[in-house]
Amino acid sequence: MGDDKRIIFLIPFRGIASIVIHIFLGIFIAILATSYFAEIFSYLGLPIYLSYGLGIEIAFLSLLLSPINIVIKRWRTTSFRFNKT
């Protein structure tokens, strides 16, 4: 039980080209998500400046924290185990 890792950090890209593509698509998706979150929060009655502020915060925090995964349940199977001989 002591060797179980509960937080996994995975880098979502390999190489320079995939870094550029990831940043470009991430900013594009963050802009779209910001406008969606701002609409939702404004429908809930928040002021427009607070709606856009929360939308930007949620979009960019989601983008920055996407490589971090928390392990909820670990499945232990022996069907893919290789024997060293």
Side-chain angles (χ1 to χ4, degrees):
M1 179 113 176
D3 62 338
D4 290 345
K5 294 185 172 112
R6 291 293 182 197
I7 297 177
I8 300 171
F9 183 78
L10 298 172
I11 298 175
F13 41 79
R14 305 263 190 261
I16 299 296
S18 61
I19 292 172
V20 172
I21 291 171
H22 184 76
I23 290 172
F24 175 72
L25 291 176
I27 290 172
F28 178 70
I29 290 171
I31 291 170
L32 288 176
T34 299
S35 63
Y36 290 136
F37 281 121
E39 283 287 322
I40 291 170
F41 289 135
S42 66
Y43 285 143
L44 292 175
L46 293 175
I48 195 70
Y49 67 91
L50 190 57
S51 298
Y52 274 102
L54 286 173
I56 290 169
E57 181 181 2
I58 290 172
F60 281 104
L61 280 177
S62 173
L63 192 66
L64 289 175
L65 297 176
S66 64
I68 299 173
N69 300 304
I70 298 174
V71 177
I72 296 173
K73 172 99 174 128
R74 183 174 174 187
W75 294 90
R76 295 181 186 248
T77 62
T78 58
S79 59
F80 296 108
R81 193 173 284 182
F82 295 104
N83 294 328
K84 291 183 180 180
T85 58

